[in-house]
Amino acid sequence: MKNYFKVIVLIGLLSVSCKTTKPATKAANVKASSTKKIINKHYKAFFNENTVYAKIKAKYKDDKTSVVLSIKLRMEKDKVIWMSATKLGIPIAKIMITPTKVRYYEKIKKTYFEGDFSLLSNFLGTDLTFTEVQNLLLGQAVLNLKKGKYKSGLKNDLYFLTPKEASSLYTILFLINPENYKLKKQEIQRLDNNQKLSVTYLSYKNIEETYFPKNMILKVIDSKKTTTLHLDFKSVFFNKELTFPFTIPRGYKEINLN
């Protein structure tokens, strides 16, 4: 059941009352724009709702395993990301992420984890904070684009952003939809071990004038294997009053990551 744990961890980077529901369409004859304007419009489209409640169908696959899970996501912006996973209607795991801690337990082997973000960072191959995990789920750039220096251009009718100065540690790419200025793709690759994290946003829902990911694919590639997680958001609601119940059952064994 180790792979169930990986699924929940990855989701925690782990994502309907719809006015309209539609995928982003391909733009024709997109005009070039300045880097500053692209970044400003991306942040103008930033997610500003207080809470998210969603039901997700998650498909996990690596070189040896394939599994389908049902996920309930509850999120209070900037405070907590909570998820509960079931397989065939049977509860199997729960995770809660706050700005300072990752907490998790699974029912199959009766194990749990409480610790910092090194758990997620080690699995994804790049260091991530709570804000960056949250942005990943919301279709926003995991990095603060206003603090760095970027160059831009057009690629297949999408805007792209990359750092002006090459890094000896990472290569970074952001592709942005010209229709809504949300991300189409973000990709971070470590150069020391060639491990890559790629997140592709296949489509968005327009919910109460807010664009929210509808389908997204997270992929981690390293020298040993490729891990893929496809998230399909079946229903999404904003600004509901939510609770985040989380108690590690007695008798569970703590996971040792060393």
Side-chain angles (χ1 to χ4, degrees):
M1 295 297 128
K2 181 173 68 174
N3 287 307
Y4 291 152
F5 173 64
K6 289 185 177 181
V7 173
I8 303 302
V9 168
L10 189 54
I11 296 172
L13 297 171
L14 51 65
S15 150
V16 181
S17 172
C18 295
K19 198 165 189 179
T20 60
T21 302
K22 62 179 181 179
T25 56
K26 184 177 179 180
N29 301 319
V30 178
K31 295 182 179 180
S33 183
S34 69
T35 302
K36 182 178 180 180
K37 186 175 181 180
I38 294 169
I39 291 174
N40 285 342
K41 287 194 173 184
H42 177 63
Y43 283 103
K44 188 177 180 179
F46 197 79
F47 183 86
N48 287 316
E49 310 297 337
N50 293 322
T51 67
V52 177
Y53 174 76
K55 293 183 179 180
I56 306 168
K57 181 179 180 181
K59 298 178 181 179
Y60 173 93
K61 185 177 182 180
D62 61 24
D63 297 340
K64 297 180 180 180
T65 306
S66 180
V67 64
V68 177
L69 298 175
S70 295
I71 307 291
K72 289 183 180 178
L73 166 68
R74 301 177 188 180
M75 178 190 299
E76 185 173 359
K77 189 171 179 285
D78 300 328
K79 293 183 179 180
V80 59
I81 300 170
W82 177 102
M83 279 159 285
S84 179
T86 61
K87 180 176 173 61
L88 300 176
I90 301 172
I92 60 169
K94 188 178 288 186
I95 187 168
M96 186 166 71
I97 305 171
T98 66
T100 59
K101 185 180 288 188
V102 175
R103 304 179 71 202
Y104 158 86
Y105 69 84
E106 60 85 19
K107 292 178 174 288
I108 306 299
K109 290 190 175 181
K110 299 185 183 302
T111 60
Y112 76 93
F113 172 86
E114 286 188 287
D116 60 21
F117 275 74
S118 58
L119 176 71
L120 301 179
S121 299
N122 288 343
F123 181 70
L124 292 175
T126 185
D127 294 332
L128 293 175
T129 65
F130 176 88
T131 299
E132 291 164 350
V133 172
Q134 178 177 261
N135 286 350
L136 186 151
L137 288 171
L138 298 176
Q140 295 291 140
V142 295
L143 303 181
N144 189 335
L145 300 178
K146 292 186 175 182
K147 288 188 175 181
K149 295 182 179 180
Y150 293 86
K151 58 185 178 181
S152 64
L154 283 171
K155 183 178 181 179
N156 298 326
D157 285 331
L158 298 168
Y159 294 120
F160 73 80
L161 294 172
T162 57
K164 278 188 175 181
E165 296 184 4
S167 168
S168 60
L169 301 176
Y170 294 95
T171 61
I172 301 169
L173 172 68
F174 300 102
L175 295 178
I176 296 178
N177 286 307
E179 300 90 349
N180 52 31
Y181 286 87
K182 302 290 284 187
L183 285 177
K184 178 67 175 179
K185 185 176 185 178
Q186 50 187 327
E187 186 175 281
I188 300 176
Q189 182 171 0
R190 285 182 56 173
L191 298 179
D192 58 345
N193 60 10
N194 208 34
Q195 190 169 30
K196 180 188 294 185
L197 168 63
S198 174
V199 187
T200 302
Y201 303 88
L202 301 179
S203 61
Y204 284 83
K205 293 182 178 184
N206 186 344
I207 307 170
E208 301 169 8
E209 303 300 325
T210 296
Y211 282 98
F212 191 89
K214 181 181 179 183
N215 305 98
M216 55 193 290
I217 298 175
L218 296 88
K219 185 175 290 187
V220 179
I221 303 171
D222 61 28
S223 59
K224 296 181 179 179
K225 68 176 182 179
T226 297
T227 302
T228 303
L229 185 66
H230 187 158
L231 301 181
D232 182 7
F233 289 78
K234 294 298 185 179
S235 61
V236 181
F237 300 91
F238 299 148
N239 301 322
K240 287 181 172 291
E241 289 190 13
L242 301 176
T243 59
F244 304 93
F246 193 99
T247 302
I248 296 172
R250 290 184 179 182
Y252 278 40
K253 182 179 179 181
E254 186 172 10
I255 295 169
N256 186 355
L257 297 178
N258 297 325

